[in-house]
Amino acid sequence: MNASEVSTVSSFVQSVPPGELADVVASIRSLRPGSSEYLEAARPAFQKYTEEQLTTTKLPGGSQEVIISEANKLDNGRYYDTESQTSFAFDHVTQKASEPKSFVVETQQADLMESLRRGLASNAKEHYPDAAFGVYPTDNDTTFTICLVSNKYSPNNFWNGRWRSTFVYSPLEAKVLGVVNVDIHYYEDGNVRLSAVRSVEIGFTPSASGSDVMKGLAAAEQKLHEGLNQEFSSLSEGVFKGLRRQLPVTRQKVEWDKIGSYRLGQDIGGGRTR
């Protein structure tokens, strides 16, 4: 097995746009005979990708999406979901969950974790339809990692997008540090990808409840939404508009009400009558 080819496959995996991993795997299988060995060798890259992207999956027999992330990974390579109180195995190449088992997370701050989860659920229901989310105790039960991912896929219209939020709340330091990632891919007659990363830091009072924390995060995300909308508008009116040809090759604007009288290739194209 060629190490450079494994590295190439791994790099493909790491750069896959939202919702398109299965398409890339199918392409690799069709282009490379014996690709199963390469896919297996690239499994670490698949795991890194699925955890960073907060990949979602449905448990066997379940209808709700659960998250795959480093925060809810167990020592044996399995993952767990706090809401359904289930642990499960996950194949990072096929993106399928299996072997669900009952699992109750151990934490000395169960009430705070549940308060955070309820606040996150309320925020997700209002602003992120069909989002998957979770709250997980981390750093030896001294912090909580709050994850939310909202996917919007429309391959028939040649675009896919993903919003990812990952926050770490420290009750002892009474603050939240986190990152929001927005990734959009548009590929009709071209290939345009927008990636935005925004850092978040919020301080709270030592007596802040889980509800207070989630209200602060909701306000911060709303501000990010508004900022991104402004940036998208400036792209449309500024950068993208500047890429367009302002005038045809004749250096004169087309008079569309007289389009029927133009002679193609001469009046419009600048040609001469012989």
Side-chain angles (χ1 to χ4, degrees):
M1 185 181 300
N2 191 317
S4 65
E5 290 185 343
V6 174
S7 177
T8 299
V9 171
S10 298
S11 66
F12 283 159
V13 171
Q14 287 296 304
S15 61
V16 173
E20 299 172 37
L21 183 60
D23 295 331
V24 170
V25 171
S27 296
I28 293 173
R29 291 187 187 277
S30 64
L31 292 172
R32 185 65 173 86
S35 58
S36 296
E37 295 183 12
Y38 288 90
L39 293 174
E40 188 62 32
R43 187 169 289 274
F46 279 93
Q47 179 174 342
K48 184 174 185 292
Y49 175 84
T50 53
E51 290 180 352
E52 288 181 347
Q53 292 292 318
L54 303 184
T55 297
T56 60
T57 187
K58 290 182 180 179
L59 300 180
S63 59
Q64 186 171 337
E65 300 278 355
V66 298
I67 288 177
I68 305 298
S69 75
E70 189 173 359
N72 65 326
K73 180 170 63 176
L74 298 171
D75 292 338
N76 56 5
R78 293 169 63 87
Y79 298 84
Y80 70 91
D81 176 54
T82 53
E83 185 169 1
S84 63
Q85 297 188 337
T86 304
S87 74
F88 54 94
F90 182 74
D91 189 311
H92 296 279
V93 178
T94 64
Q95 305 282 284
K96 300 294 184 182
S98 61
E99 303 175 25
K101 297 179 180 179
S102 177
F103 178 84
V104 179
V105 64
E106 296 181 1
T107 175
Q108 299 298 315
Q109 305 182 78
D111 290 343
L112 177 58
M113 185 179 75
E114 179 59 19
S115 178
L116 290 168
R117 193 200 66 79
R118 287 197 304 266
L120 180 59
S122 177
N123 181 48
K125 182 178 180 180
E126 182 177 357
H127 299 290
Y128 305 95
D130 303 319
F133 53 86
V135 179
Y136 315 104
T138 46
D139 296 325
N140 296 317
D141 206 20
T142 61
T143 63
F144 289 97
T145 297
I146 302 164
C147 298
L148 180 145
V149 57
S150 182
N151 301 308
K152 198 77 171 179
Y153 303 148
S154 186
N156 290 337
N157 294 309
F158 307 101
W159 63 264
N160 296 304
R162 174 175 296 147
W163 173 289
R164 288 179 286 145
S165 299
T166 303
F167 304 111
V168 177
Y169 171 54
S170 171
L172 292 177
E173 298 180 1
K175 70 176 181 180
V176 167
L177 296 176
V179 177
V180 173
N181 294 266
V182 179
D183 195 353
I184 303 168
H185 185 216
Y186 180 75
Y187 49 98
E188 182 178 17
D189 296 329
N191 189 30
V192 178
R193 189 169 180 181
L194 182 146
S195 179
V197 182
R198 300 291 183 270
S199 298
V200 175
E201 181 174 353
I202 309 173
F204 297 92
T205 63
S207 60
S209 65
S211 177
D212 295 332
V213 172
M214 292 315 306
K215 286 179 181 178
L217 289 179
E221 287 191 330
Q222 180 63 32
K223 186 175 180 180
L224 288 175
H225 271 289
E226 294 170 355
L228 286 171
N229 284 336
Q230 292 177 356
E231 291 180 27
F232 295 157
S233 296
S234 65
L235 278 175
S236 177
E237 296 299 321
V239 176
F240 288 157
K241 190 174 182 179
L243 293 174
R244 304 188 191 113
R245 182 189 293 275
Q246 299 299 309
L247 294 172
V249 293
T250 60
R251 308 304 297 169
Q252 296 178 350
K253 292 184 179 181
V254 175
E255 297 183 59
W256 294 105
D257 58 333
K258 299 180 181 179
I259 192 66
S261 62
Y262 280 117
R263 290 168 295 175
L264 188 63
Q266 295 182 14
D267 292 344
I268 294 179
R272 296 179 178 177
T273 303
R274 293 182 180 179

